[in-house]
PDB file of all heavy atoms in Angstrom:
ATOM      1  N   ARG A 187      89.086 103.501  96.986  1.00  0.00           N
ATOM      2  CA  ARG A 187      88.435 104.808  96.957  1.00  0.00           C
ATOM      3  C   ARG A 187      88.728 105.591  95.672  1.00  0.00           C
ATOM      4  O   ARG A 187      88.806 106.812  95.691  1.00  0.00           O
ATOM      5  CB  ARG A 187      88.841 105.645  98.177  1.00  0.00           C
ATOM      6  CG  ARG A 187      88.396 105.048  99.497  1.00  0.00           C
ATOM      7  CD  ARG A 187      86.883 105.135  99.633  1.00  0.00           C
ATOM      8  NE  ARG A 187      86.434 104.853 100.987  1.00  0.00           N
ATOM      9  CZ  ARG A 187      86.185 105.789 101.896  1.00  0.00           C
ATOM     10  NH1 ARG A 187      86.306 107.052 101.620  1.00  0.00           N
ATOM     11  NH2 ARG A 187      85.772 105.457 103.091  1.00  0.00           N
ATOM     12  N   ALA A 189      86.721 105.724  93.212  1.00  0.00           N
ATOM     13  CA  ALA A 189      85.456 106.342  92.811  1.00  0.00           C
ATOM     14  C   ALA A 189      85.141 107.455  93.797  1.00  0.00           C
ATOM     15  O   ALA A 189      85.001 107.214  94.982  1.00  0.00           O
ATOM     16  CB  ALA A 189      84.348 105.287  92.803  1.00  0.00           C
ATOM     17  N   ARG A 191      85.735 111.322  95.608  1.00  0.00           N
ATOM     18  CA  ARG A 191      86.776 111.978  96.389  1.00  0.00           C
ATOM     19  C   ARG A 191      87.705 112.905  95.612  1.00  0.00           C
ATOM     20  O   ARG A 191      87.677 114.084  95.836  1.00  0.00           O
ATOM     21  CB  ARG A 191      87.616 110.947  97.145  1.00  0.00           C
ATOM     22  CG  ARG A 191      86.792 110.192  98.152  1.00  0.00           C
ATOM     23  CD  ARG A 191      87.671 109.472  99.082  1.00  0.00           C
ATOM     24  NE  ARG A 191      87.428 109.833 100.463  1.00  0.00           N
ATOM     25  CZ  ARG A 191      88.215 109.476 101.458  1.00  0.00           C
ATOM     26  NH1 ARG A 191      89.284 108.779 101.231  1.00  0.00           N
ATOM     27  NH2 ARG A 191      87.929 109.827 102.672  1.00  0.00           N
ATOM     28  N   TYR A 196      83.337 114.105  90.090  1.00  0.00           N
ATOM     29  CA  TYR A 196      82.606 113.477  91.195  1.00  0.00           C
ATOM     30  C   TYR A 196      81.933 114.541  92.050  1.00  0.00           C
ATOM     31  O   TYR A 196      80.770 114.395  92.425  1.00  0.00           O
ATOM     32  CB  TYR A 196      83.539 112.619  92.075  1.00  0.00           C
ATOM     33  CG  TYR A 196      82.848 112.166  93.355  1.00  0.00           C
ATOM     34  CD1 TYR A 196      81.920 111.119  93.336  1.00  0.00           C
ATOM     35  CD2 TYR A 196      83.085 112.806  94.573  1.00  0.00           C
ATOM     36  CE1 TYR A 196      81.254 110.728  94.493  1.00  0.00           C
ATOM     37  CE2 TYR A 196      82.424 112.417  95.734  1.00  0.00           C
ATOM     38  CZ  TYR A 196      81.511 111.382  95.691  1.00  0.00           C
ATOM     39  OH  TYR A 196      80.851 111.002  96.828  1.00  0.00           O
ATOM     40  N   ARG A 200      78.032 114.700  92.874  1.00  0.00           N
ATOM     41  CA  ARG A 200      77.639 114.696  94.287  1.00  0.00           C
ATOM     42  C   ARG A 200      76.668 115.855  94.562  1.00  0.00           C
ATOM     43  O   ARG A 200      75.687 115.676  95.274  1.00  0.00           O
ATOM     44  CB  ARG A 200      78.926 114.821  95.092  1.00  0.00           C
ATOM     45  CG  ARG A 200      78.806 114.946  96.542  1.00  0.00           C
ATOM     46  CD  ARG A 200      78.598 113.592  97.199  1.00  0.00           C
ATOM     47  NE  ARG A 200      78.885 113.717  98.613  1.00  0.00           N
ATOM     48  CZ  ARG A 200      78.144 114.405  99.453  1.00  0.00           C
ATOM     49  NH1 ARG A 200      77.062 114.997  99.035  1.00  0.00           N
ATOM     50  NH2 ARG A 200      78.484 114.507 100.723  1.00  0.00           N
ATOM     51  N   SER A 236      79.657 102.739  96.381  1.00  0.00           N
ATOM     52  CA  SER A 236      78.685 102.490  97.450  1.00  0.00           C
ATOM     53  C   SER A 236      79.389 102.815  98.749  1.00  0.00           C
ATOM     54  O   SER A 236      80.347 103.577  98.749  1.00  0.00           O
ATOM     55  CB  SER A 236      78.236 101.023  97.409  1.00  0.00           C
ATOM     56  OG  SER A 236      77.225 100.818  98.364  1.00  0.00           O
ATOM     57  N   ASP A 237      78.937 102.243  99.840  1.00  0.00           N
ATOM     58  CA  ASP A 237      79.637 102.419 101.111  1.00  0.00           C
ATOM     59  C   ASP A 237      79.434 101.172 101.947  1.00  0.00           C
ATOM     60  O   ASP A 237      78.445 100.450 101.774  1.00  0.00           O
ATOM     61  CB  ASP A 237      79.106 103.641 101.868  1.00  0.00           C
ATOM     62  CG  ASP A 237      80.118 104.074 102.917  1.00  0.00           C
ATOM     63  OD1 ASP A 237      81.046 104.828 102.562  1.00  0.00           O
ATOM     64  OD2 ASP A 237      80.019 103.631 104.070  1.00  0.00           O
ATOM     65  N   SER A 368      88.563  97.380 107.809  1.00  0.00           N
ATOM     66  CA  SER A 368      89.310  98.625 108.034  1.00  0.00           C
ATOM     67  C   SER A 368      89.760  98.793 109.476  1.00  0.00           C
ATOM     68  O   SER A 368      90.749  99.464 109.738  1.00  0.00           O
ATOM     69  CB  SER A 368      88.440  99.817 107.645  1.00  0.00           C
ATOM     70  OG  SER A 368      88.005  99.663 106.321  1.00  0.00           O
ATOM     71  N   HIS A 479      95.743 102.005 101.530  1.00  0.00           N
ATOM     72  CA  HIS A 479      94.414 102.358 102.033  1.00  0.00           C
ATOM     73  C   HIS A 479      93.802 103.276 100.987  1.00  0.00           C
ATOM     74  O   HIS A 479      94.417 103.516  99.948  1.00  0.00           O
ATOM     75  CB  HIS A 479      94.515 103.038 103.401  1.00  0.00           C
ATOM     76  CG  HIS A 479      93.210 103.040 104.176  1.00  0.00           C
ATOM     77  ND1 HIS A 479      92.979 103.875 105.236  1.00  0.00           N
ATOM     78  CD2 HIS A 479      92.077 102.313 104.022  1.00  0.00           C
ATOM     79  CE1 HIS A 479      91.762 103.648 105.720  1.00  0.00           C
ATOM     80  NE2 HIS A 479      91.193 102.705 104.994  1.00  0.00           N
TER      81      HIS A 479
HETATM   82  O1  LIG B 295      86.578 102.431  96.506  1.00  0.00           O
HETATM   83  C1  LIG B 295      85.696 103.126  95.962  1.00  0.00           C
HETATM   84  O2  LIG B 295      85.976 104.065  95.237  1.00  0.00           O
HETATM   85  C2  LIG B 295      84.233 102.742  96.126  1.00  0.00           C
HETATM   86  C3  LIG B 295      83.510 103.568  97.036  1.00  0.00           C
HETATM   87  C4  LIG B 295      83.684 103.458  98.539  1.00  0.00           C
HETATM   88  C5  LIG B 295      83.233 104.479  99.415  1.00  0.00           C
HETATM   89  N1  LIG B 295      83.355 104.030 100.688  1.00  0.00           N
HETATM   90  C6  LIG B 295      82.652 105.764  98.990  1.00  0.00           C
HETATM   91  C7  LIG B 295      82.688 106.901  99.931  1.00  0.00           C
HETATM   92  C8  LIG B 295      84.164 102.406  99.349  1.00  0.00           C
HETATM   93  C9  LIG B 295      84.819 101.095  98.932  1.00  0.00           C
HETATM   94  C10 LIG B 295      83.953 102.783 100.699  1.00  0.00           C
HETATM   95  C11 LIG B 295      84.291 101.904 101.836  1.00  0.00           C
HETATM   96  C12 LIG B 295      84.238 102.452 103.197  1.00  0.00           C
HETATM   97  N2  LIG B 295      83.363 103.346 103.735  1.00  0.00           N
HETATM   98  C13 LIG B 295      85.115 102.011 104.234  1.00  0.00           C
HETATM   99  C14 LIG B 295      86.171 100.955 104.097  1.00  0.00           C
HETATM  100  C15 LIG B 295      87.395 101.465 103.466  1.00  0.00           C
HETATM  101  C16 LIG B 295      88.223 102.349 104.336  1.00  0.00           C
HETATM  102  O3  LIG B 295      88.346 103.526 103.985  1.00  0.00           O
HETATM  103  O4  LIG B 295      88.742 101.858 105.334  1.00  0.00           O
HETATM  104  C17 LIG B 295      84.769 102.724 105.404  1.00  0.00           C
HETATM  105  C18 LIG B 295      85.439 102.626 106.747  1.00  0.00           C
HETATM  106  C19 LIG B 295      83.646 103.558 105.067  1.00  0.00           C
HETATM  107  C20 LIG B 295      82.873 104.450 105.972  1.00  0.00           C
HETATM  108  C21 LIG B 295      82.939 105.851 105.530  1.00  0.00           C
HETATM  109  N3  LIG B 295      82.356 106.348 104.367  1.00  0.00           N
HETATM  110  C22 LIG B 295      83.550 106.952 106.206  1.00  0.00           C
HETATM  111  C23 LIG B 295      84.311 106.828 107.515  1.00  0.00           C
HETATM  112  C24 LIG B 295      83.315 108.097 105.420  1.00  0.00           C
HETATM  113  C25 LIG B 295      83.630 109.544 105.761  1.00  0.00           C
HETATM  114  C26 LIG B 295      85.033 109.897 105.615  1.00  0.00           C
HETATM  115  C27 LIG B 295      85.564 109.735 104.214  1.00  0.00           C
HETATM  116  O5  LIG B 295      86.289 108.782 104.036  1.00  0.00           O
HETATM  117  O6  LIG B 295      85.236 110.546 103.331  1.00  0.00           O
HETATM  118  C28 LIG B 295      82.620 107.692 104.260  1.00  0.00           C
HETATM  119  C29 LIG B 295      82.200 108.567 103.151  1.00  0.00           C
HETATM  120  C30 LIG B 295      82.480 108.168 101.766  1.00  0.00           C
HETATM  121  N4  LIG B 295      82.388 106.902 101.257  1.00  0.00           N
HETATM  122  C31 LIG B 295      82.833 109.053 100.706  1.00  0.00           C
HETATM  123  C32 LIG B 295      82.960 108.265  99.560  1.00  0.00           C
HETATM  124  C33 LIG B 295      83.297 108.731  98.178  1.00  0.00           C
HETATM  125  C34 LIG B 295      82.968 110.559 100.830  1.00  0.00           C
HETATM  126  C35 LIG B 295      81.611 111.158 100.986  1.00  0.00           C
HETATM  127  C36 LIG B 295      81.306 112.318 100.061  1.00  0.00           C
HETATM  128  O7  LIG B 295      81.219 112.150  98.833  1.00  0.00           O
HETATM  129  O8  LIG B 295      81.096 113.386 100.607  1.00  0.00           O
END
Side-chain angles (χ1 to χ4, degrees):
R187 296 290 193 96
R191 297 194 123 190
Y196 170 77
R200 175 81 163 68
S236 185
D237 199 85
S368 305
H479 198 198

